[in-house]
Amino acid sequence: NYQGQIKTGEDQILNFSYNDSSDKPVSELKIQGPTIDEVIEKINQMYAQGQITSKYHKRRLIRRLRYLDKRLAHNQEKINKINQLIDKTNNSNKLKPKTKNKLIKRLEKRVQRAEKNRQKLINRTVKQLLKRLNRMKKKNKITRTAYEKLLQDFNFLKNNL
């Protein structure tokens, strides 16, 4: 789900289908944007083209993005395991209904906490990326167009991961 605003001059790719004979003529909008790996590839291309002049800053951006990707994968594994436990508890005949409900509620709270931590991780990491990007801009280590493209990509990741 896209949450946020599309600013003037900002590019967004939106996919939807139109069918005027349907009850809902327009399907849900599906926003396409870069994945973490695509942003890393874009940073490497910008460095190769000279749009990013500092190898140090390029490495730091990529390292932070890889860290985010790894942590998100770990968080998703955790959520999947808890969901498996919820299913296993639901299907268990050995537990009394009251005990089963208490256990399921606790597990659901753990899922909610993990999802909340996931969003905190994304926000914190993107904030760090934006801070580095602004430092690069101040020190003239990145061109204006590259800065704007990466700024847009980082904001997209923040809103859509």
Side-chain angles (χ1 to χ4, degrees):
N1 293 339
Y2 180 76
Q3 295 177 344
Q5 298 177 357
I6 299 175
K7 298 174 186 157
T8 306
E10 182 179 356
D11 294 328
Q12 282 292 346
I13 299 171
L14 305 172
N15 284 340
F16 64 93
S17 57
Y18 178 76
N19 181 356
D20 59 356
S21 64
S22 173
D23 291 342
K24 285 184 165 184
V26 178
S27 69
E28 283 192 35
L29 291 176
K30 294 178 184 152
I31 296 179
Q32 285 186 330
T35 62
I36 292 175
D37 291 332
E38 290 170 345
V39 174
I40 289 172
E41 185 59 36
K42 190 183 282 187
I43 290 170
N44 282 324
Q45 287 174 352
M46 288 175 176
Y47 179 74
Q49 294 169 352
Q51 293 178 327
I52 295 175
T53 57
S54 170
K55 189 174 186 178
Y56 169 78
H57 288 291
K58 174 197 84 139
R59 283 182 175 169
R60 297 291 297 212
L61 289 173
I62 290 172
R63 187 177 306 140
R64 182 60 43 190
L65 285 166
R66 286 195 177 128
Y67 166 81
L68 176 63
D69 197 29
K70 183 178 175 182
R71 292 290 306 269
L72 287 175
H74 179 266
N75 185 274
Q76 191 58 49
E77 277 180 33
K78 189 176 187 178
I79 290 171
N80 290 342
K81 284 181 183 178
I82 297 170
N83 283 329
Q84 285 175 350
L85 280 173
I86 290 172
D87 291 341
K88 189 176 179 182
T89 305
N90 268 330
N91 297 333
S92 174
N93 296 327
K94 296 178 182 178
L95 297 171
K96 294 179 183 175
K98 190 174 182 180
T99 310
K100 189 186 287 192
N101 288 338
K102 281 184 179 179
L103 189 57
I104 289 172
K105 281 184 182 178
R106 266 193 264 148
L107 290 170
E108 286 172 345
K109 281 185 181 179
R110 284 178 59 190
V111 169
Q112 289 173 350
R113 205 175 14 217
E115 288 171 350
K116 189 176 178 182
N117 288 338
R118 179 182 191 278
Q119 196 56 49
K120 280 183 183 178
L121 170 69
I122 291 168
N123 291 339
R124 184 176 57 240
T125 305
V126 170
K127 183 178 177 182
Q128 292 167 346
L129 287 165
L130 294 173
K131 201 173 184 180
R132 176 149 312 276
L133 202 58
N134 286 324
R135 263 192 241 129
M136 291 170 66
K137 183 182 169 192
K138 282 181 185 175
K139 294 181 179 184
N140 292 323
K141 301 292 183 185
I142 188 169
T143 64
R144 183 175 180 80
T145 55
Y147 170 82
E148 289 171 359
K149 287 178 186 175
L150 288 178
L151 184 66
Q152 183 178 347
D153 288 348
F154 293 159
N155 284 323
F156 179 85
L157 290 175
K158 182 180 180 180
N159 293 327
N160 296 291
L161 277 181

